[in-house]
Amino acid sequence: MFSFEGKKALVTGGGRGIGRAIAIALARQGADVAVAARGRSELEQVADEIRSVGRRSFVHALDLADTDAAVKMVDAAARELGSLDVLVNNAGGITDQPGSIGPLDEATLEAFDAMYAINVRTPLFASVAACRLMAMQGKGGAILNIVSIDGVFPAPTEGIYGSAKAALVNLTKVLAYEAGKDGIRVNAIAPGVIETRLTEHLLRTDEDRADRASFYPLNRVGVPDDIAAAAVYLCSGEAGWVSGNVLYVTGGQLATSDVFRWVRAKNPVPDSLKI
Ligand SMILES: NC(=O)c1ccc[n+]([C@@H]2O[C@H](COP(=O)([O-])OP(=O)(O)OC[C@H]3O[C@@H](n4cnc5c(N)ncnc54)[C@H](OP(=O)(O)O)[C@@H]3O)[C@@H](O)[C@H]2O)c1
C-alpha cells in the first residue's frame, strides 16, 4: 500500500520543516519529487536526500508570493519530472510584514496582502495550473493544501493568518468539487503545533514544550513526520475516494472544545460531585 512508484510530485516549502518531511516521505514511497522555496541551499540538501533514496529531484528557488512565477514553476516542474501527479501546497505561514501578527486594529494592508499571497493566492492558482496539467494527462491526480487549526478555531492575534487558512479550506472544497470530474482529488491537512522554525518562538525551553504538550490530549507537540504520514495517505491511491476533506493532525485537539478543557483544568470535578 501507499506506493508512489512512477509518480511525480511537487512540494512547495520543501526546504525544511513540514514540507521537507513530506517531500522525503513521498520519495521514500517511490515518487520523483521537485521542491520549491526561496532558499536554494536548504532545497539542494533535501534534493540530495531524495536522490540518496534513488529518486530524481529538482529544485526551484523562487518567492512563491509571486503567484505568476509560482504558476510558471508548476509547468516547469512538470516538464522536468515528465508529468505531475501530486502537488503539495505547503509553503506558507507568517510573513515578516509588520502587522501580520497582532490585534486586527494593528493590521496593515501590506501585511494582509502578503499573508494572503503566500497562504491563499498562490496555492489556489498553482492548484488550478496543476489541475489543467493533470486533466490533460488524463490519469487523475492529488492536490494537498497544508492549512492550520487556526483556520478552524479563530486565534486572537492571528486573525489574518487564520482567516487566510480558512479561505484555503473553502477553496480546497470548491476545487475538489470542480476537479472531481477529471479524477483529481483535493484535500487539506490542518496541523496543530508542529516543531519547526515557524514555532521555534513557542518552544524555546523544555518548560515551554511541556506546557504546550499538556494542552494536547496526546501530551506532546507534533513533529513534521506526523504530517508527512498523513500527506502520504491523502496523496496515495489508497485515498482514491477521499476528496474535499480536511484531516486534523492535532494530537487530539478537537476531541473536546478548548473552552471545556480550560474550565476543567481550572476546576477539576470535586470528589463530592463524582458518581
Ligand atoms: N509548524 C506548525 O506548527 C504549523 C501549524 C499549522 C500549519 N502550519 C503550516 O505548515 C506549512 C509549513 O510550515 P512549517 O512549520 O514547516 O514552516 P517552516 O519550517 O518555516 O518552513 C516553511 C517552508 O516554506 C518556505 N516558504 C515560506 N515562505 C515562502 C515564500 N514566500 N516563497 C517560497 N517559499 C516559502 C520556506 O523556505 P524559504 O524561507 O527558504 O522560502 C520553508 O521551506 C505552512 O503553510 C504553515 O502555515 C504549520
Side-chain angles (χ1 to χ4, degrees):
M1 291 179 99
F2 309 118
S3 169
F4 284 74
E5 208 67 42
K7 301 285 182 196
K8 320 289 177 190
L10 167 60
V11 180
T12 72
R16 61 172 186 268
I18 293 171
R20 172 184 172 277
I22 293 173
I24 290 171
L26 291 173
R28 288 209 174 110
Q29 297 307 115
D32 291 337
V33 186
V35 282
R38 288 166 299 189
R40 181 174 288 280
S41 68
E42 285 184 340
L43 292 173
E44 293 290 2
Q45 281 175 31
V46 173
D48 283 345
E49 284 183 75
I50 290 169
R51 290 176 194 127
S52 75
V53 298
R55 303 296 154 196
R56 293 188 310 140
S57 185
F58 301 94
V59 159
H60 292 264
L62 78 165
D63 185 351
L64 290 161
D66 178 344
T67 303
D68 278 338
V71 167
K72 289 188 183 113
M73 183 266 306
V74 171
D75 288 331
R79 270 196 307 279
E80 282 167 343
L81 289 162
S83 62
L84 189 68
D85 304 289
V86 174
L87 169 65
V88 181
N89 289 303
N90 160 79
I94 315 286
T95 68
D96 52 13
Q97 280 288 337
S100 295
I101 289 283
L104 290 174
D105 70 357
E106 290 173 19
T108 60
L109 282 174
E110 292 75 17
F112 183 92
D113 287 347
M115 293 282 278
Y116 270 63
I118 186 70
N119 288 295
V120 186
R121 193 179 64 199
T122 288
L124 169 61
F125 287 97
S127 297
V128 169
C131 282
R132 285 200 189 109
L133 284 168
M134 290 169 180
M136 279 192 304
Q137 290 167 190
K139 52 187 174 105
I143 293 176
L144 177 65
N145 293 320
I146 305 301
V147 295
S148 170
I149 196 66
D150 285 359
V152 182
F153 291 136
T157 76
E158 293 187 11
I160 299 181
Y161 176 67
S163 68
K165 294 298 195 183
L168 190 52
V169 168
N170 189 298
L171 293 168
T172 299
K173 296 179 182 192
V174 175
L175 194 57
Y177 183 84
E178 294 180 357
K181 65 181 184 323
D182 295 312
I184 299 165
R185 301 178 303 100
V186 190
N187 290 292
I189 294 175
V193 169
I194 307 293
E195 273 201 82
T196 66
R197 192 178 303 171
L198 188 71
T199 53
E200 252 173 12
H201 63 290
L202 301 174
L203 305 169
R204 281 197 207 289
T205 62
D206 288 348
E207 207 182 6
D208 290 343
R209 193 171 289 102
D211 192 34
R212 270 289 148 170
S214 71
F215 172 77
Y216 292 106
L218 289 172
N219 202 34
R220 68 170 173 86
V221 295
V223 293
D225 279 346
D226 290 320
I227 307 302
V232 164
Y233 165 65
L234 284 173
C235 295
S236 71
E238 279 67 26
W241 214 44
V242 179
S243 195
N245 265 262
V246 182
L247 180 56
Y248 301 103
V249 184
T250 55
Q253 184 186 0
L254 285 178
T256 66
S257 89
D258 285 2
V259 171
F260 178 82
R261 276 156 41 72
W262 180 80
V263 169
R264 272 291 160 264
K266 303 243 176 268
N267 306 292
V269 180
D271 282 345
S272 59
L273 287 184
K274 286 185 185 157
I275 300 172

